[in-house]
């Protein structure tokens, strides 16, 4: 699974870690995050993220 970086603040969503503060368990890919999920650091929407290679 790919990591995704927030273009606003640089936060990296790593599916191996999930986002426990938002109730996202490890193993959830970025594509499968809820549509209303936002960056836990700056609040940017999913459309403000880019896939890291």
């Amino acid at each position: 699974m790919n990591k995704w970086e927030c273009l606003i603040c640089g936060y990296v969503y790593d599916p191996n870690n999930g986002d426990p503060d938002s109730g996202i368990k490890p193993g959830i890919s970025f594509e499968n995050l809820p549509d209303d999920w936002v960056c836990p650091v700056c609040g940017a929407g999913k459309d403000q993220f880019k896939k890291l290679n």
Side-chain angles (χ1 to χ4, degrees):
M1 286 186 277
N2 294 307
K3 295 179 183 178
W4 290 71
E5 180 180 15
C6 178
L7 297 172
I8 306 300
C9 72
Y11 168 81
V12 174
Y13 175 76
D14 183 345
N16 293 316
N17 299 331
D19 180 11
D21 293 339
S22 298
I24 306 297
K25 296 179 181 176
I28 304 294
S29 69
F30 185 83
E31 294 85 356
N32 289 330
L33 290 172
D35 290 337
D36 62 351
W37 180 85
V38 295
C39 176
V41 175
C42 72
K46 287 176 67 177
D47 62 335
Q48 296 296 313
F49 280 73
K50 70 174 180 178
K51 188 188 310 185
L52 298 176
N53 295 328

